[in-house]
Amino acid sequence: MKGPIAAIILTGGKNQTTGKDNTFLPIGNKTVLDILLGKLNPLFPEIIISAKNPARYLDIKGVRVVADMMPAGNDLSGIYSALRYTLNPYAFVISCDTPLVEPGLIKYLLKYRKGFDVVIPESENGFEPFCAVYSKKCVKAMEEIIRKDNCKIIDFLPLVKVKTIKQPEIKKIGNDNFLTLSSGSDYQQIQNKLKTN
């Protein structure tokens, strides 16, 4: 399926219980990053890690590491920095907090990309901007929002053409795509699910 599409992994999220960077949390004999790369490598010719502290990721093979261009460093600027860097017209963006994302969901989102600037799932919790497809055309709209010191990802969406994938469609693919490593109990739950798969 590899085509003119990049994958961007947003790093820097910390587990509230352990205080550690989620990217390197162990699950079995792998890290969360290992698990994500195992899912992304077969799908994308280019994988970019967007990092506030890029030095931590320089030893990882097969990826490009991009420093967040904004001193404050936030999720929107992390996506913006990597989108500016890639030569591909589209990128699938995933947070390092979500190792249960299914390749089937990624492929489903990507098939709607043509004609849209963003393809974003909408779960029962609302928009899921950390598991979405972004066009390089979004860079200008992101710049406009960032210049206003407004760094919420969803606030730039009215400026671009958006395709929303609704919850019933997502549930056909799986129920755990958006489960994040935000707490110790989530970490345990994710470990259990990955061990049984």
Side-chain angles (χ1 to χ4, degrees):
M1 193 200 111
K2 290 190 177 184
I5 310 161
I8 296 169
I9 302 174
L10 298 176
T11 65
K14 288 188 177 181
N15 186 278
Q16 294 173 1
T17 302
T18 65
K20 294 180 180 178
D21 183 342
N22 286 329
T23 316
F24 298 108
L25 281 177
I27 296 179
N29 60 357
K30 296 181 179 180
T31 66
V32 170
L33 181 58
D34 292 332
I35 292 166
L36 279 175
L37 289 175
K39 294 180 178 185
L40 299 176
N41 273 320
L43 302 178
F44 300 99
E46 179 185 35
I47 296 178
I48 299 170
I49 290 178
S50 181
K52 297 175 179 67
N53 184 2
R56 299 195 66 193
Y57 305 93
L58 295 180
D59 293 335
I60 298 167
K61 295 178 181 179
V63 304
R64 296 181 180 184
V65 182
V66 175
D68 195 322
M69 297 172 69
M70 303 296 166
N74 55 66
D75 296 318
L76 182 58
S77 65
I79 297 173
Y80 166 80
S81 301
L83 272 180
R84 283 195 53 165
Y85 180 85
T86 182
L87 298 176
N88 287 294
Y90 291 92
F92 170 72
V93 173
I94 186 75
S95 166
C96 66
D97 294 345
T98 51
L100 294 182
V101 63
E102 291 289 340
L105 176 64
I106 298 171
K107 293 175 184 178
Y108 191 78
L109 298 176
L110 288 171
K111 78 178 185 178
Y112 288 103
R113 70 188 184 277
K114 292 184 179 177
F116 293 96
D117 300 313
V118 177
V119 182
I120 188 168
E122 186 176 10
S123 72
E124 56 197 15
N125 297 317
F127 285 128
E128 300 287 351
F130 306 121
C131 182
V133 178
Y134 296 83
S135 163
K136 200 170 172 74
K137 294 177 182 177
C138 292
V139 165
K140 186 175 180 182
M142 289 178 174
E143 283 177 348
E144 184 175 331
I145 294 296
I146 290 169
R147 276 200 304 268
K148 295 177 181 177
D149 292 326
N150 183 358
C151 294
K152 291 181 180 178
I153 295 174
I154 61 171
D155 287 344
F156 96 93
L157 295 181
L159 304 179
V160 295
K161 193 172 181 181
V162 178
K163 169 70 176 176
T164 303
I165 306 299
K166 299 291 187 177
Q167 176 72 0
E169 297 174 76
I170 297 164
K171 278 205 163 187
K172 294 175 187 175
I173 301 167
N175 294 318
D176 300 317
N177 283 283
F178 312 118
L179 186 60
T180 63
L181 288 158
S182 57
S183 68
S185 60
D186 292 336
Y187 180 30
Q188 187 60 56
Q189 186 179 357
I190 287 171
Q191 286 187 88
N192 292 339
K193 286 181 178 292
L194 285 171
K195 285 175 184 175
T196 57
N197 290 341

